[in-house]
Amino acid sequence: MKRPFWPRRRGKLSEQRRQIRIATWEGVPSTIFQVLLGGPFLTGYLLYLGANSSQIGFVLAMTTLVNIAQLGAAYGIQRIRSRRMALIWFIAVHRLLWAGTGLIPFLFSKDVWVTVYIVTYTAAFMGNAVSAMLWTSLISDLIPAKVRGRHFGIRNTVLNALGSVCLFAGGLLLDRYPGGEGFLLLFIPIWICAVANIVIYFFYPDLPFERSKETAFLPMVRKPLQDAGFMRAAGFLAGWLLMQTLIVPLYSYAMLELMRLSYSTVSSLTVIQTVAMMISFYVWGNLNARYSNKKLLFWTLPLIAGSCLSWGLLSLLPALPVLIVSHILLGVGIGGFNQLAFNFTIGDTPKSERPMYVAMYSALTGLTSFLGPLAGGAVYQWMKSLPPALDWFELFGFPACIGVLMLVMAFTLGKRVLTTD
């Protein structure tokens, strides 16, 4: 089955294919919305609002810390009547609040812009944490296991192609209209896509739900905790993300603030990363049909580490070629990591207990992914006080050191945990 979400022949679609197509098209406004609000545009908007590196690190970290709320959501999902309606409510909270941050300069005085952004952003991603749990539960029931890897490989490829176009166009827009005018123009399609995305979810299927065999919260939480293989892998991946998020989320900050690159250059580099990710989705998806999620996850680790390590080449080579190599490695590595980690949580776990397994993984990785950018932002803030002779360490020394540590971690603990069944 080579094309899991398109029909094989003309004529009326089966009900399942129609539902999968709706779930695929839903990704279009969602991708535009998240690309234009995230990545270099998120960093740029925070800099426009007056945020420093520590505050930027905190905002980037908060996205994942709120995933701890998924533990409660996994318990609550057992008692709701309609996963679809609950999904719509929490999706609306996330989309409307995050899109609403574009109104901050018009509604508040400048001295509280960053504070209001952080509060609104945190509330938005509380909604996102719950909606992600509901969406994962619903989509894992909708997509058959035998085509899941290939389906998400193709879906992610198509949506990341769209994301690349949005990144490039957004960068050109902000360079042409710098400051508040540019961000206002950027938020117009964001507001349109937020509403469109919410509307499309009303057409999602509301599939029957296989509930947990446990009825109390603590016994439900103990299910994944007692699964030794799952916890070893989840614990390692959480530790890996702690190292990764020390530096990777702050790439845009380093390029915009330290290297003084233009928005169009940074967005173009992010496009290169996204194209590499897009191509890798299809490759990883096909490999996933032959090899286990965990073994393939291991081979994504050296690529991500290599992306950080390559920043050390800035001491020898021109900046642009080095950054291109770094973003290509990151795109291929992150693309595989995210796709395979998702398949790991929904494919290598028991169906009736899947919500709590997903929640446990999200809570562990959410906590470490919160601490990583927070610590990374604090380190960058501290490095500003270093003497000018050590400016090289702020620019490329710190990322290269993290890259070395990640390589060691991958080929020692990672190899033992992910390649040994």
Side-chain angles (χ1 to χ4, degrees), residues 61 64-68 238 241 361-371:
T64 53
L65 178 66
V66 294
N67 284 340
I68 295 174
L241 286 171
Y361 174 81
S362 296
L364 289 172
T365 57
L367 179 60
T368 56
S369 296
F370 167 76
L371 296 174

Side-chain angles (χ1 to χ4, degrees), residues 337-367:
F337 185 94
N338 291 343
Q339 182 168 306
L340 293 161
F342 177 78
N343 290 343
F344 165 67
T345 56
I346 69 173
D348 297 357
T349 53
K351 185 177 180 181
S352 63
E353 309 300 329
R354 187 169 295 152
M356 189 56 75
Y357 271 78
V358 173
M360 183 61 66
Y361 174 81
S362 296
L364 289 172
T365 57
L367 179 60

Side-chain angles (χ1 to χ4, degrees), residues 66 131 237 248 275 297 388 418:
V66 294
S131 66
L237 294 175
V248 170
V275 170
L297 266 170
L418 297 178

Side-chain angles (χ1 to χ4, degrees), residues 211-232:
R211 301 179 190 278
S212 172
K213 297 177 176 61
E214 304 291 345
T215 56
F217 178 70
L218 289 179
M220 203 177 294
V221 171
R222 279 198 292 267
K223 287 286 187 180
L225 292 176
Q226 292 170 347
D227 188 332
F230 172 81
M231 288 304 298
R232 277 196 301 270

Side-chain angles (χ1 to χ4, degrees), residues 100-253:
T101 58
L103 299 174
I104 288 174
F106 302 99
L107 300 178
F108 301 94
S109 60
K110 191 170 184 177
D111 58 316
V112 297
W113 282 1
V114 176
T115 302
V116 173
Y117 186 96
I118 291 173
V119 172
T120 308
Y121 183 87
T122 302
F125 274 86
M126 285 291 290
N128 184 66
V130 179
S131 66
M133 154 64 55
L134 292 162
W135 185 84
T136 302
S137 171
L138 196 57
I139 206 72
S140 64
D141 288 345
L142 178 60
I143 309 298
K146 64 181 180 180
V147 298
R148 198 173 283 150
R150 184 172 287 120
H151 167 80
F152 283 110
I154 297 173
R155 182 183 191 270
N156 291 338
T157 299
V158 173
L159 294 180
N160 274 270
L162 173 63
S164 298
V165 175
C166 294
L167 277 166
F168 185 70
L172 291 178
L173 177 68
L174 290 180
D175 273 346
R176 184 175 179 83
Y177 302 99
E181 183 182 6
F183 283 112
L184 175 60
L185 293 172
L186 196 69
F187 269 96
I188 292 173
I190 288 170
W191 292 325
I192 294 171
C193 288
V195 175
N197 196 208
I198 295 167
V199 170
I200 292 176
Y201 274 104
F202 281 94
F203 297 93
Y204 249 66
D206 202 3
L207 302 176
F209 177 44
E210 184 177 335
R211 301 179 190 278
S212 172
K213 297 177 176 61
E214 304 291 345
T215 56
F217 178 70
L218 289 179
M220 203 177 294
V221 171
R222 279 198 292 267
K223 287 286 187 180
L225 292 176
Q226 292 170 347
D227 188 332
F230 172 81
M231 288 304 298
R232 277 196 301 270
F236 168 78
L237 294 175
W240 175 265
L241 286 171
L242 175 63
M243 296 294 296
Q244 177 182 308
T245 54
L246 279 170
I247 182 62
V248 170
L250 293 161
Y251 274 12
S252 294
Y253 169 79

Side-chain angles (χ1 to χ4, degrees), residues 183-343:
F183 283 112
L184 175 60
L185 293 172
L186 196 69
F187 269 96
I188 292 173
I190 288 170
W191 292 325
I192 294 171
C193 288
V195 175
N197 196 208
I198 295 167
V199 170
I200 292 176
Y201 274 104
F202 281 94
F203 297 93
Y204 249 66
D206 202 3
L207 302 176
F209 177 44
E210 184 177 335
R211 301 179 190 278
S212 172
K213 297 177 176 61
E214 304 291 345
T215 56
F217 178 70
L218 289 179
M220 203 177 294
V221 171
R222 279 198 292 267
K223 287 286 187 180
L225 292 176
Q226 292 170 347
D227 188 332
F230 172 81
M231 288 304 298
R232 277 196 301 270
F236 168 78
L237 294 175
W240 175 265
L241 286 171
L242 175 63
M243 296 294 296
Q244 177 182 308
T245 54
L246 279 170
I247 182 62
V248 170
L250 293 161
Y251 274 12
S252 294
Y253 169 79
M255 291 185 290
L256 289 169
E257 187 72 3
L258 302 181
M259 302 178 74
R260 299 294 180 182
L261 299 180
S262 66
Y263 282 109
S264 59
T265 301
V266 175
S267 61
S268 295
L269 287 167
T270 311
V271 167
I272 291 172
Q273 175 187 324
T274 305
V275 170
M277 186 184 300
M278 179 180 66
I279 296 170
S280 78
F281 281 140
Y282 186 76
V283 176
W284 291 117
N286 284 327
L287 288 173
N288 205 191
R290 299 173 55 192
Y291 302 102
S292 71
N293 293 312
K294 290 201 296 184
K295 286 183 178 179
L296 289 177
L297 266 170
F298 167 74
W299 287 110
T300 68
L301 306 183
L303 296 171
I304 300 170
S307 172
C308 298
L309 187 58
S310 66
W311 280 64
L313 295 174
L314 289 172
S315 61
L316 303 171
L317 300 172
L320 198 56
V322 172
L323 293 175
I324 289 173
V325 170
S326 176
H327 281 75
I328 290 174
L329 289 172
L330 186 64
V332 177
I334 290 287
F337 185 94
N338 291 343
Q339 182 168 306
L340 293 161
F342 177 78
N343 290 343

